[in-house]
Amino acid sequence: NDHFSQVRDKVKKLKEKEEHKMIVTRDTYESKMKNLEGQVQNLKELAGRQMNVKMEMKRLKEEDRIRNLERQKRIAELRKAQLIEKDADRSERIEKIRAEEELIMRTKQEVAR
């Protein structure tokens, strides 16, 4: 009887020891899983931030390109206006020269009479 109770106590202690090991092992794995999930979440957030940075860089480059094109367009418009002015000046000078030539021709004709 005494021997049986000792065996029963030993079995009970071994069972408790194994249960304790299982609990510790389970807790350890749960802790590792939570840690890994946290790392995965951090990596996802980092990747998201990197995407945001990439998108922001892309947007800024696009804005720079647009500003540059607008600047080139303004320069082209100013050059066009300058050419139009030069053409107008040229036309005016040509008209003056023609008028002077006409006056000279008329004067010659009048002198010839």
Side-chain angles (χ1 to χ4, degrees), residues 40-52:
V40 166
Q41 191 57 39
N42 288 342
L43 287 173
K44 282 181 179 177
E45 288 172 10
L46 179 64
R49 284 195 300 273
Q50 285 177 336
M51 261 317 275
N52 289 346

Side-chain angles (χ1 to χ4, degrees), residues 27-50:
D27 289 351
T28 301
Y29 279 112
E30 283 179 359
S31 168
K32 283 183 180 178
M33 283 298 292
K34 280 184 183 163
N35 189 355
L36 288 172
E37 285 170 3
Q39 288 180 22
V40 166
Q41 191 57 39
N42 288 342
L43 287 173
K44 282 181 179 177
E45 288 172 10
L46 179 64
R49 284 195 300 273
Q50 285 177 336

Side-chain angles (χ1 to χ4, degrees), residues 18 29 34-35 59 63-64 68 79 82 88 90:
E18 283 303 310
Y29 279 112
K34 280 184 183 163
N35 189 355
R59 189 182 64 76
E63 285 177 1
D64 280 352
N68 204 5
R79 286 189 179 143
Q82 283 177 333
R90 237 181 247 131

Side-chain angles (χ1 to χ4, degrees), residues 2-113:
D2 193 38
H3 175 69
F4 280 121
S5 66
Q6 282 180 349
V7 170
R8 199 175 28 232
D9 286 348
K10 272 189 178 178
V11 168
K12 187 178 177 187
K13 280 182 184 171
L14 279 172
K15 187 178 169 189
E16 285 174 357
K17 198 174 176 184
E18 283 303 310
E19 285 175 349
H20 180 71
K21 274 188 191 174
M22 283 173 56
I23 289 170
V24 168
T25 303
R26 188 191 67 220
D27 289 351
T28 301
Y29 279 112
E30 283 179 359
S31 168
K32 283 183 180 178
M33 283 298 292
K34 280 184 183 163
N35 189 355
L36 288 172
E37 285 170 3
Q39 288 180 22
V40 166
Q41 191 57 39
N42 288 342
L43 287 173
K44 282 181 179 177
E45 288 172 10
L46 179 64
R49 284 195 300 273
Q50 285 177 336
M51 261 317 275
N52 289 346
V53 168
K54 274 186 185 175
M55 295 300 287
E56 184 67 11
M57 287 296 290
K58 208 174 200 179
R59 189 182 64 76
L60 290 174
K61 281 181 184 175
E62 200 59 29
E63 285 177 1
D64 280 352
R65 208 172 132 263
I66 290 168
R67 273 196 298 277
N68 204 5
L69 289 172
E70 287 172 344
R71 197 177 116 267
Q72 289 175 4
K73 181 182 168 193
R74 283 195 302 274
I75 289 171
E77 287 169 348
L78 289 172
R79 286 189 179 143
K80 181 181 170 186
Q82 283 177 333
L83 287 175
I84 289 171
E85 264 181 47
K86 279 184 183 176
D87 279 354
D89 289 349
R90 237 181 247 131
S91 296
E92 211 174 286
R93 283 198 302 266
I94 289 171
E95 205 49 52
K96 281 181 184 175
I97 291 169
R98 278 192 194 132
E100 285 174 15
E101 283 175 344
E102 235 176 83
L103 187 63
I104 290 169
M105 290 300 287
R106 269 191 260 134
T107 308
K108 277 183 182 176
Q109 286 172 355
E110 284 176 17
V111 169
R113 285 184 198 161

